[in-house]
Amino acid sequence: MFDVETLCDLLFELSNDERLAILYLIQEGPKKLSNMSKTLDITPQAVSRNLTRLVEIGLIRRNEASDYELTPYGASSLTQLESFSFLSENKEYMSTHWTDRLPSEFQARLGDLKKCEIVDDSLDMLSNMERVFEEAEEWYKYITPFRIASHSSLRFAIDQLDRGVTIRALEPMGYTVSEKTLARTPREDLKAMLDHWLKGNIEYRYLEEISIKIYMSEKEVSILSFPKIDGEVDMMGFISSDSRFHRWCSDVFDHYWGYSITKTTSWLQEALE
């Protein structure tokens, strides 16, 4: 069992807005008391009192130049706070969407997602997904429990493949394009998609269950969505071009890609038979 008392002591010190502001300021680099007082507009007496508490709990220390700096314990504690920051800033969304189906190593890194924008309009999200795909120069990859496929979206994908963008797709086992979509798609487009698949420009893999949606290019993430309380994944989610956000999404994709199933045949071949 973990030490509840020590944890409560840490959380108590971090729950004070002045002490937290001081810690984030010191995170930028060693600081003197007078500098912190001026920057934060807090009296020297109040800064001194808070610094004493932070030293006592082990979050900061004074270096040889008598400046205050973070201890390794303090630096690690602030890093972990980033996850709480992401959750609290997106409280409304996170109150109705799960992250507990993710592997624990990715739940522990939710702080990587803090620099993002939430989009709650499905049309805006679809428009952003199209823009990111169109601006991709190297690759585009996605993992989704469902895909909105139409003859126009297939044509759009072909255009991106033709200009050299590769596609990696993780979809649920048993996914097929609807008969209606196939009937509306020109046969030459299906042949073009199949040709790209045979050349390895597009690779489909499959999972028994998918409970996250990620669409991304080498530049940015066009959607990250978590499952709702009922288990469904909707079109509401996060977008970002931040490098840490991008790395988190790429790592999640690669994790699932690592144990996905490859099929030796494609639905494209079946459609052209």
Side-chain angles (χ1 to χ4, degrees), residues 26 67 90 93 104 183 197:
I26 296 175
D67 294 337
N90 298 285
Y93 178 91
S104 58
W197 179 76

Side-chain angles (χ1 to χ4, degrees), residues 197-227:
W197 179 76
L198 292 172
K199 291 178 178 177
N201 298 332
I202 180 169
E203 185 174 0
Y204 292 104
R205 289 193 183 182
Y206 303 90
L207 293 169
E208 291 290 346
E209 181 181 3
I210 297 176
S211 57
I212 192 171
K213 179 196 291 287
I214 297 173
Y215 281 72
M216 64 187 299
S217 71
E218 80 280 358
K219 297 178 181 179
E220 61 182 295
V221 177
S222 58
I223 181 173
L224 164 63
S225 293
F226 298 111

Side-chain angles (χ1 to χ4, degrees), residues 94-140:
M94 301 310 299
S95 295
T96 57
H97 293 76
W98 294 103
T99 61
D100 66 334
R101 298 182 185 181
L102 287 168
S104 58
E105 61 263 36
F106 297 113
Q107 294 185 54
R109 289 174 52 195
L110 288 176
D112 290 349
L113 306 178
K114 65 177 183 176
K115 292 184 179 180
C116 65
E117 177 185 348
I118 191 165
V119 178
D120 58 7
D121 183 273
S122 59
L123 292 179
D124 288 344
M125 188 65 79
L126 287 170
S127 176
N128 187 63
M129 291 166 63
E130 182 176 298
R131 177 190 62 78
V132 172
F133 195 0
E134 195 168 29
E135 293 178 0
E137 296 180 0
E138 299 176 14
W139 53 260
Y140 193 76

